[in-house]
Amino acid sequence: MEHAAVPAWALLAYLVSGVFFILALRGLSSPASSRRGNRFGMAGMLIAVVTTVYTHMPMIEGDLQNSYVGPDFGTLGQILAAIAIGAVIGIVTARKIAMTDMPQLVAAFHSLVGLAAVLVGVAAYLNPEAFGILDGNGEILTVSRIEMGLGVAIGAITFSGSVIAFLKLAGKMSGAPIMLPGRHIINLGTLAAIIALTTYFAIQPTSGTEWVFWTIVALSFLIGFLLIIPIGGADMPVVVSMLNSYSGWAAAAMGFTLHNSAMIITGALVGSSGAILSYIMCKAMNRSFISVIAGGFGADSGAAAGGAAKVDRPWKRGSAEDAAYMMSQAESVIIVPGYGMAVAQAQHALREMADLLKKEGVSVKYAIHPVAGRMPGHMNVLLAEANVPYDEVFELEDINSEFAQTDVAFIIGANDVVNPAAKTDKSSPIYGMPVFDVDKAKTVFFIKRSMGGVGYAGVDNDVFYMDQTMMLLADAKKMVDDIVKALQH
């Protein structure tokens, strides 16, 4: 059975949806145009879904007097019911999810994309005739076996890796690196076995190779777990972008199996953009892109063990009144937000504080680290939600040199991205990661819940104990609210 030819109008519709997806990516490259980018993405997906549903419905033929062939709308109700169920789940989730839970939600969505790719690959293997991928001898086409093997392998890796990322981000699993003995040998051996089995599956007849296909699936699920387990919490933004890339390539591979141009285009766009983002994130953390792909690039066991907090060192405690007075008298304040701000949902109060300072003639800027939070752009999303002007938000390379001239560095919920150990301590798990030079500011206010905690990487921070630092120990939102009240009076 040959696969039905896709109508010319459908190919044109897929091309239009692809253009919309490209415009979506371009729009999402900046907070100022992100809403427009999302609209382009939704429009492109709507076109792709409607086109796919219509062109892939079963066909019915007329009688001898009427040879008209058209779509069987009897199956349309089932298709619409499935779409409705997914839409309801998506809408409810989007309305209920807190911004603090967005990273684990993204990881969960990646896992679903990977699982969908595996299920499509399994369905195509079990019923190849329905997919139109059989040759004249009743064997699955060689090119289809290659696509199928790669699709299920990448999809399974994406699924299991995303599950581990979700568990780490949600706090249901330790964020510390879990180091297995000989993990690099195990990982390389497993990957080599997957590649060898996929090659064997592609060149051998389908009959008698069932064990090969299912072994590829099982090993791919396993390697997904093994690749992500050794990665520490501080490296999670890179993991999220990397899994995003994997999910795209899995979708593209399944697009070939399904003969669906839209899936191929969309998957390639997501896969390539995710890979580029992963490279950018690695550069921001001074990590090797190759070692990210290989997995286990987080802290080694020795470094991870050295992260105990040194709370017996002398430090100064400040108050909301202290912070309000000193910032109102300053000429410049740089705010460094981190995941703690997201947890406390303090972004709105922070913007109100900044507005009050600007009324006093204070220059206020926000410094965003590429890996702050738990996914790329996490802090940018939070500040945009609070309507912080885009021209006040600066990336690390654009503002880091200004800390030496600023009067106050106001750190709210950040830790690892301002830790000077990244520049000085070679045994630290974050060594080599570019960080903000907050230690050069004249005064530092550091909001955190208690002195007993350390950053997500488990490393103590020398900034806590500097002479110019005042620790503001409280919930981030409560402390900022108190500062706002002090500024108002």
Side-chain angles (χ1 to χ4, degrees):
M1 173 182 176
E2 292 188 6
H3 200 277
V6 179
W9 68 265
L11 295 175
L12 180 60
Y14 286 147
L15 178 61
V16 172
S17 69
V19 172
F20 274 120
F21 292 142
I22 294 172
L23 293 174
L25 287 175
R26 181 177 180 180
L28 293 172
S29 64
S30 169
S33 58
S34 59
R35 291 180 184 271
R36 184 173 66 252
N38 269 314
R39 294 190 187 100
F40 278 128
M42 289 187 288
M45 186 57 67
L46 178 63
I47 294 172
V49 169
V50 171
T51 303
T52 300
V53 169
Y54 185 83
T55 57
H56 287 74
M57 281 194 298
M59 308 297 284
I60 57 174
E61 297 183 7
D63 53 27
L64 294 176
Q65 288 74 33
N66 181 10
S67 60
Y68 170 78
V69 178
D72 179 8
F73 287 99
T75 61
L76 185 59
Q78 300 175 28
I79 296 173
L80 292 179
I83 292 176
I85 292 172
V88 169
I89 294 173
I91 292 171
V92 171
T93 303
R95 288 185 174 275
K96 288 189 173 182
I97 196 73
M99 287 303 300
T100 51
D101 297 331
M102 193 60 67
Q104 49 262 46
L105 177 67
V106 171
F109 282 167
H110 289 163
S111 72
L112 295 178
V113 174
L115 184 60
V118 174
L119 293 177
V120 170
V122 169
Y125 178 73
L126 296 177
N127 191 11
E129 185 177 2
F131 287 78
I133 56 175
L134 291 178
D135 60 17
N137 299 319
E139 296 285 347
I140 298 177
L141 295 168
T142 300
V143 66
S144 296
R145 276 181 271 165
I146 296 173
E147 296 160 0
M148 194 184 304
L150 291 175
V152 297
I154 299 173
I157 292 172
T158 303
F159 171 76
S160 54
S162 297
V163 169
I164 295 298
F166 169 82
L167 294 174
K168 284 177 176 272
L169 290 166
K172 301 181 184 298
M173 180 179 182
S174 172
I178 300 175
M179 303 298 178
L180 299 176
R183 67 186 185 281
H184 294 302
I185 296 177
I186 295 173
N187 290 350
L188 290 174
T190 305
L191 287 172
I194 293 172
I195 294 172
L197 288 171
T198 302
T199 304
Y200 180 78
F201 178 70
I203 63 178
Q204 291 296 316
T206 308
S207 57
T209 59
E210 292 84 357
W211 68 272
V212 178
F213 178 79
W214 296 112
T215 302
I216 292 172
V217 175
L219 289 178
S220 299
F221 277 124
L222 175 63
I223 194 63
F225 287 112
L226 295 177
L227 287 173
I228 306 303
I229 281 179
I231 298 177
D235 297 324
M236 270 300 134
V238 183
V239 174
V240 171
S241 63
M242 180 178 67
L243 291 172
N244 177 56
S245 178
Y246 289 173
S247 67
W249 296 124
M254 288 302 99
F256 283 103
T257 300
L258 294 173
H259 305 276
N260 189 295
S261 301
M263 282 188 67
I264 297 171
I265 294 171
T266 306
L269 287 173
V270 173
S272 56
S273 61
I276 293 171
L277 179 59
S278 298
Y279 173 78
I280 293 172
M281 301 294 287
C282 289
K283 186 177 180 181
M285 300 180 69
N286 196 30
R287 304 294 193 192
S288 166
F289 184 65
I290 300 300
S291 62
V292 173
I293 297 174
F297 65 98
D300 59 37
S301 55
K310 295 168 281 190
V311 297
D312 55 336
R313 296 166 64 181
W315 53 276
K316 299 176 183 176
R317 183 164 191 163
S319 66
E321 290 74 18
D322 296 331
Y325 175 77
M326 295 189 70
M327 285 194 291
S328 65
Q329 300 301 310
E331 291 185 3
S332 61
V333 173
I334 297 179
I335 300 172
V336 183
Y339 187 63
M341 183 190 75
V343 172
Q345 288 290 282
Q347 61 269 26
H348 296 281
L350 187 67
R351 192 214 66 209
E352 185 179 1
M353 182 192 81
D355 289 344
L356 291 172
L357 289 174
K358 286 187 287 185
K359 288 181 180 179
E360 297 290 333
V362 181
S363 170
V364 179
K365 296 180 180 180
Y366 297 82
I368 306 296
H369 196 282
V371 296
R374 295 294 177 268
M375 69 177 184
H378 197 184
M379 294 302 104
N380 301 78
V381 172
L382 289 172
L383 295 180
E385 182 192 27
N387 295 318
V388 171
Y390 299 131
D391 58 359
E392 295 178 4
V393 180
F394 297 86
E395 300 293 336
L396 182 144
E397 62 271 14
D398 297 324
I399 199 172
N400 210 21
S401 61
E402 295 186 24
F403 280 100
Q405 290 80 42
T406 197
D407 294 313
V408 176
F410 187 85
I411 305 166
I412 173 170
N415 199 330
D416 297 325
V417 299
V418 297
N419 194 335
K423 299 180 290 184
T424 58
D425 186 0
K426 292 185 178 181
S427 67
S428 172
I430 63 172
Y431 179 73
M433 182 177 79
V435 294
F436 287 118
D437 295 329
V438 297
D439 52 317
K440 297 179 180 179
K442 297 176 184 176
T443 302
V444 178
F445 287 105
F446 208 123
I447 298 181
K448 66 192 304 281
R449 287 184 176 273
S450 69
M451 291 299 295
V454 290
Y456 204 51
V459 184
D460 197 30
N461 195 335
D462 288 338
V463 173
F464 301 160
Y465 316 106
M466 297 189 311
D467 291 337
Q468 71 266 40
T469 299
M470 289 190 183
M471 303 300 299
L472 306 176
L473 304 183
D475 172 82
K477 186 176 185 304
K478 183 181 183 305
M479 176 57 69
V480 176
D481 282 337
D482 290 343
I483 294 173
V484 169
K485 293 176 183 177
L487 287 171
Q488 291 172 337
H489 295 90

